[in-house]
Amino acid sequence: MKSSQKSLSFVYVLAVLSMLFWGMTFIWSKIVFKYYNPIATITVRLLISSVILFVILLLFYRKQLVFPKANLKWFVLLAFFEPFLYFIGESFGLQKVDATITAVIVSTIPVFAAIVGFYFLKEKITRKNVVGIFVSFVGVILMLLNEELKFNAPLDGVLLVFLAVLSAIGYGTLLKKVSADYHPIFIIFIQNVIGFIMFLPLFLFFDLDCVINVVPNFELISSILMLSIFGSSLAFIFYTFAIREIGMAKANVFTNLIPIFTATGSFILLNEMFTSFKIIGMLVAITGVYLSQLKPKEDN
């Protein structure tokens, strides 16, 4: 039992770290957008991440480097949902909506993921899990409100971010199909390579001149590297481990932590407002995450 609890705790740590890294990507992206357009940012980010993951596979998991011919269609579809559709929705939405609100919208993923996991993947959800999801959702809604109880965000920006949410649900559902047969690092490597190929024509047509004309500085280079190493590599690897061990519904509830990390980082690095509603919302969201992971007594 102790070994099992240790193993589960390790999975939870990985899940939290993946959300920390994803929470920070909204901030790093905002910084990079001062220099590059979204398509250029995504393409460069995926290229660097693919190279990093290839080197890791070559050094430590060489046997995993086998062309996934039998499951290629699933990998193509996986990459189409994420990174392709997801990053289009998130990045262009992030240009219109501030980092914290974008993160809050993304954190609604568990609400939709729980429904998909229950009806299509036959994942069990207890009453405590449902309460936890609801409480977490209430927490992130509180973070959206200002002192006048108003929510102000451009509709087109909000819809673009919701495109990312729907893409993430499709991605999580498909990930379940391949996560048991391949190493997480290999999965992320293949999806990033395919995603890079999908974005490359758009990059060459729309954004190549933009990248050529920008002289990279420390702020740009460090932010791109952070996006590539932590956002497009480690976060996805850790998330894949988590979804394989505890299921899509429970793993996705951790996305309610994303706005907490984003709000904190945005306050420090982007000077975004840190209201009392954000603080209360963070505490409620954390409570919800805790409740969503509780098991019935008979399972212990």
Side-chain angles (χ1 to χ4, degrees):
M1 178 65 73
K2 288 184 179 179
S3 176
S4 175
Q5 288 177 343
K6 265 189 175 181
S7 176
L8 194 59
S9 297
F10 179 68
V11 172
Y12 288 165
V13 168
L14 293 182
V16 171
L17 284 175
S18 67
M19 300 310 151
L20 168 62
F21 298 154
W22 275 330
M24 291 301 296
T25 60
F26 298 107
I27 299 166
W28 296 325
S29 293
K30 280 281 192 182
I31 294 172
V32 176
F33 289 165
K34 294 191 294 185
Y35 305 92
Y36 292 163
N37 294 327
I39 295 297
T41 301
I42 297 164
T43 307
V44 174
R45 170 181 175 178
L46 290 175
L47 175 60
I48 296 173
S49 175
S50 297
V51 172
I52 292 170
L53 293 174
F54 178 74
V55 171
I56 293 174
L57 287 167
L58 200 61
L59 292 176
F60 304 105
Y61 304 98
R62 188 182 294 265
K63 292 182 179 179
Q64 298 289 332
L65 283 170
V66 179
F67 187 72
K69 184 177 180 181
N71 290 299
L72 184 60
K73 63 180 180 181
W74 296 119
F75 276 103
V76 171
L77 199 53
L78 194 72
F80 176 72
F81 279 113
E82 194 164 344
F84 189 73
L85 277 184
Y86 179 88
F87 279 156
I88 286 178
E90 180 195 275
S91 296
F92 283 97
L94 195 56
Q95 283 193 316
K96 299 173 178 292
V97 180
D98 72 42
T100 302
I101 290 179
T102 301
V104 169
I105 296 172
V106 167
S107 71
T108 63
I109 288 172
V111 177
F112 302 101
I115 297 171
V116 172
F118 179 76
Y119 283 104
F120 297 102
L121 301 180
K122 307 302 179 185
E123 294 184 349
K124 292 182 179 179
I125 302 178
T126 67
R127 289 182 180 179
K128 289 180 180 178
N129 298 153
V130 173
V131 171
I133 291 171
F134 175 76
V135 171
S136 295
F137 187 64
V138 170
V140 296
I141 290 298
L142 285 173
M143 291 179 66
L144 277 173
L145 301 175
N146 59 24
E147 300 295 340
E148 288 75 37
L149 300 180
K150 291 181 180 179
F151 167 65
N152 294 310
L155 179 60
D156 55 348
V158 171
L159 291 177
L160 281 167
V161 181
F162 268 112
L163 171 63
V165 170
L166 296 177
S167 302
I169 301 303
Y171 171 80
T173 305
L174 289 169
L175 183 60
K176 197 74 173 177
K177 289 183 174 293
V178 299
S179 62
D181 300 324
Y182 299 93
H183 193 280
I185 297 178
F186 179 77
I187 293 172
I188 309 310
F189 168 68
I190 294 296
Q191 79 174 45
N192 282 359
V193 169
I194 296 174
F196 171 76
I197 293 171
M198 290 177 176
F199 276 110
L200 186 58
L202 297 175
F203 168 72
L204 294 175
F205 189 79
F206 292 108
D207 285 357
L208 180 60
D209 290 341
C210 166
V211 173
I212 292 174
N213 293 327
V214 170
V215 178
N217 58 21
F218 176 78
E219 183 181 54
L220 173 59
I221 293 172
S222 61
S223 297
I224 281 283
L225 287 176
M226 292 293 189
L227 283 171
S228 304
I229 296 170
F230 295 102
S232 290
S233 301
L234 291 179
F236 277 100
I237 292 169
F238 293 167
Y239 173 75
T240 302
F241 271 116
I243 205 170
R244 186 168 65 178
E245 295 298 323
I246 61 178
M248 186 180 76
K250 284 190 174 183
N252 275 327
V253 171
F254 280 91
T255 59
N256 284 300
L257 298 175
I258 290 177
I260 297 173
F261 296 129
T262 303
T264 304
S266 296
F267 173 74
I268 296 170
L269 300 174
L270 301 179
N271 297 317
E272 285 189 6
M273 292 290 292
F274 204 75
T275 66
S276 57
F277 276 96
K278 284 185 180 179
I279 297 172
I280 295 170
M282 288 179 189
L283 296 175
V284 174
I286 291 173
T287 302
V289 169
Y290 172 75
L291 290 174
S292 72
Q293 301 304 313
L294 292 178
K295 290 184 177 182
K297 289 184 179 179
E298 59 266 27
D299 290 346
N300 291 333

